[in-house]
Amino acid sequence: MTETVSIGRRRFLRLGVLGGAAILLAQPAGTSRADERTKAEALLLTCMDYRVTHATERYMAGRGLQNKYYHVILAGAALGAVAPPPTEPAWKTTFWTHLATAIKLTTDGGRPLGRVIVIDHRKCGAYDIILGEECCKERGKETDAHAGQLRELRKQIVAQHEKMRVELLLMDLNGKVEKIS
């Protein structure tokens, strides 16, 4: 009895693998990989902090953008992309390379990338490390520190891509998001 069950399991697994492969390889007629890429409507830049990962996904889904954005993650989000010393200069390069890639992927697909969404978050350790703990001890100073980095990044993006819309957001650890103008 045991032998029959294990043969049945192997056959079941084999069929499952084959079926899964067939689904992954099947494409409706007239579609291409380029068609799949055109679904991205934005590039999202966020911090690497695990405390905001799920809240960020919920926020993007709530805006109707689930599975419709490219996601770049850097410590400090805007701060990492602006890369003031002592930030690792490669972080800035990483952001700009990813933005250029997202623009190329969407342009090749027919609909150009229209916006960049940057979500910084409160209680960010990268801000404490790079700008010093005093930058963000008080809520008002914390808002100002993030707003300064976010605005600088927007200025740099628009200088290179004048038609690009850039949304600046600041998220609390509870997931509440406020716009930075």
Side-chain angles (χ1 to χ4, degrees):
M1 178 96 173
T2 307
E3 190 175 334
T4 305
V5 171
S6 82
I7 292 171
R9 284 184 187 155
R10 273 190 237 130
R11 184 162 189 246
F12 175 76
L13 287 172
R14 192 174 323 131
L15 289 172
V17 169
L18 290 173
I23 290 169
L24 289 173
L25 294 173
Q27 275 188 310
T31 65
S32 69
R33 292 182 59 105
D35 292 338
E36 295 168 12
R37 292 193 299 238
T38 63
K39 294 178 183 174
E41 296 177 16
L43 178 128
L44 171 66
L45 172 64
T46 63
C47 184
M48 66 182 208
D49 194 319
Y50 64 90
R51 298 175 296 172
V52 294
T53 302
H54 295 298
T56 300
E57 290 171 359
R58 279 191 306 273
Y59 175 78
M60 295 301 283
R63 291 188 58 185
L65 292 170
Q66 184 173 1
N67 300 323
K68 293 182 182 178
Y69 59 92
Y70 297 113
H71 195 171
V72 177
I73 300 172
L74 294 174
L79 180 66
V82 173
T87 307
E88 175 60 47
W91 295 1
K92 186 173 189 171
T93 302
T94 297
F95 171 74
W96 290 103
T97 302
H98 280 77
L99 178 58
T101 301
I103 290 169
K104 176 94 170 103
L105 287 170
T106 55
T107 302
D108 286 352
R111 182 177 62 200
L113 188 74
R115 63 184 153 163
V116 174
I117 302 169
V118 186
I119 304 178
D120 271 14
H121 71 90
R122 293 189 180 279
K123 309 294 184 207
C124 181
Y127 272 75
D128 290 343
I129 291 169
I130 295 167
L131 299 181
E133 290 182 19
E134 290 300 315
C135 83
C136 299
K137 276 192 174 183
E138 299 170 21
R139 189 171 176 89
K141 287 177 73 174
E142 180 183 36
T143 301
D144 291 344
H146 284 279
Q149 300 303 313
L150 287 160
R151 289 179 185 130
E152 177 59 30
L153 180 56
R154 177 176 54 202
K155 183 175 101 180
Q156 290 180 21
I157 293 169
V158 172
Q160 291 189 36
H161 307 281
E162 20 181 86
K163 294 183 180 180
M164 187 69 68
R165 290 180 305 154
V166 182
E167 298 178 33
L168 308 177
L169 305 167
L170 183 57
M171 179 181 282
D172 272 316
L173 293 181
N174 65 9
K176 182 181 176 197
V177 175
E178 59 187 285
K179 288 185 179 183
I180 303 293
S181 53

